Amino acid sequence: MTTLAIDIGGTKLAAALVDNDLLIRDRRELPTPASKTPDALRAALHTLVEPLSLYAKHVAIASTGIIRDGVLLAINPHNLGGLLHFPLTETLEAITGLPARAVNDAQAAAWAEYHALRGDYRDMVFLTVSTGVGGGVVTDGKLLTGTGGLAGHLGHTLADPNGPMCGCGRRGCVEAIASGRGIAAAAQGELAGCDAKTIFIRAGQGNTQAADLITRSAQALARLIADIKATTDCQCVVVGGSVGLADGYLTQVRRCLAQEPSAYQVALQPAHYRHDAGLLGAALLAQGDRL
Ligand code: ADP
Ligand code: BMX
Ligand code: ZN
């Protein structure tokens, strides 16, 4: 059964057709519109999925935000241009005429990455370092979603009580420091106004401020990973997102984690499905896990 899978992130929207063997075709992307009102997102989703919906039997959505009863509720509305609330499944059902299911993007990616692990794994955690910092926790082979969809929002744990304000209303969250937006927000002088992608390029060219901003992110992520190990005793942590997958980033996180006591050491791996983990996890969940 062909699934129309959609991944809604703070920076980009992706959609593709996914078949029963998790093969992806006709993948396409659009920038996420930054608008407080839902109309721009509705219009972008329409443009994105219209050429694909004819070939699918159902829709599977992985989306940034807390997903409750098919509705997106932003914990950090700044990541979506101030948008707080968006009726995801209702909108996609209206656009495509197909039944739709939705799940948080990092929870979906965790599920896909858990299935990609080879060996006897029961406990793993996925982290995306992207527009924000998202997380998905698999414990004893089960994906945690929580009663209200909040489970795994590890980007909103505390990194620094004196750190920058987070869009969720809390000061010093991991997301406010380690995410693409957090990296960009701390840039000063010649780097002020640059996005995280540009800051990585500048670091590669030898810019020391850019390199320090990336190290600050990697340090916050490594401390989060030590906390995750202490909380879940997971067997591995898989890292995705465009910042998480950027050249050299995971190596830096490993170096920072190595400074922590031995009890908090855990294997770190880049996402097997790279930028498609969210799409594939949503498809897997909607298809009922036939793997
Ligand atoms: P989304 O959050 O929409 O899922 P991404 O995973 O692409 O999207 O994350 C977006 C963030 O990653 C932005 O802050 C962007 O500047 C940054 N980014 C995109 N490409 C790269 C790259 N090649 N290297 C480092 N950072 C990147
Ligand atoms: C934020 C939060 C999470 C999401 C994470 C990564 C919103 C809109 N999103 O912490 O639900 O999983 O970002 O999202 O509150 P991404 O856009 O970086 O992929
Ligand atoms: Zn926060």
Side-chain angles (χ1 to χ4, degrees), residues 20-285:
N20 280 340
D21 299 319
L22 286 193
L23 288 175
I24 288 188
R25 60 193 162 89
D26 291 329
R27 190 187 193 285
R28 52 194 72 214
E29 273 187 22
L30 280 180
T32 307
S35 165
K36 252 187 163 150
T37 58
D39 296 351
L41 180 56
R42 192 178 295 119
L45 288 168
H46 193 280
T47 306
L48 184 74
V49 306
E50 198 181 35
L52 301 178
S53 54
L54 208 62
Y55 306 100
K57 286 270 182 283
H58 63 154
V59 179
I61 309 156
S63 175
T64 192
I66 299 165
I67 309 304
R68 195 175 295 159
D69 300 327
V71 173
L72 183 176
L73 305 163
I75 186 166
N76 184 353
H78 293 185
N79 292 359
L80 283 170
L83 187 70
L84 270 169
H85 178 278
F86 186 83
L88 271 178
T89 51
E90 186 189 306
T91 302
L92 267 307
E93 284 178 356
I95 292 173
T96 64
L98 300 170
R101 270 188 63 172
V103 63
N104 169 266
D105 55 357
Q107 291 170 356
W111 197 232
E113 292 296 327
Y114 176 68
H115 282 86
L117 293 173
R118 290 289 158 257
D120 191 16
Y121 286 93
R122 301 294 296 163
D123 300 288
M124 66 82 80
V125 172
F126 172 83
L127 291 172
T128 173
V129 190
S130 35
T131 312
V133 172
V137 179
V138 175
T139 293
D140 199 19
K142 294 195 181 67
L143 177 68
L144 293 187
T145 54
T147 42
L150 183 62
H153 274 78
L154 297 161
H156 302 282
T157 56
L158 189 64
D160 176 1
N162 302 310
M165 277 305 289
C166 180
C168 75
R170 202 173 184 210
R171 182 175 292 283
C173 287
V174 173
E175 176 161 307
I177 294 168
S179 68
R181 281 181 155 247
I183 293 170
Q188 292 177 350
E190 52 168 343
L191 294 183
C194 292
D195 64 10
K197 185 175 180 176
T198 309
I199 291 169
F200 271 81
I201 293 168
R202 300 301 304 278
Q205 295 164 341
N207 183 295
T208 52
Q209 187 201 162
D212 290 348
L213 289 168
I214 294 165
T215 302
R216 173 174 168 267
S217 163
Q219 180 65 259
L221 205 79
R223 292 192 179 122
L224 169 63
I225 291 167
D227 290 352
I228 289 169
K229 177 66 182 171
T231 315
T232 67
D233 195 13
C234 57
Q235 296 157 285
C236 69
V237 173
V238 176
V239 179
S242 289
V243 173
L245 293 169
D247 273 352
Y249 184 79
L250 200 55
T251 305
Q252 280 212 51
V253 177
R254 284 198 186 103
R255 206 175 293 140
C256 296
L257 183 62
Q259 308 298 314
E260 299 279 348
S262 62
Y264 309 124
Q265 300 303 316
V266 57
L268 302 186
Q269 304 176 24
H272 172 82
Y273 291 121
R274 310 291 298 176
H275 301 277
D276 294 331
L279 286 174
L280 292 173
L284 257 180
L285 285 162

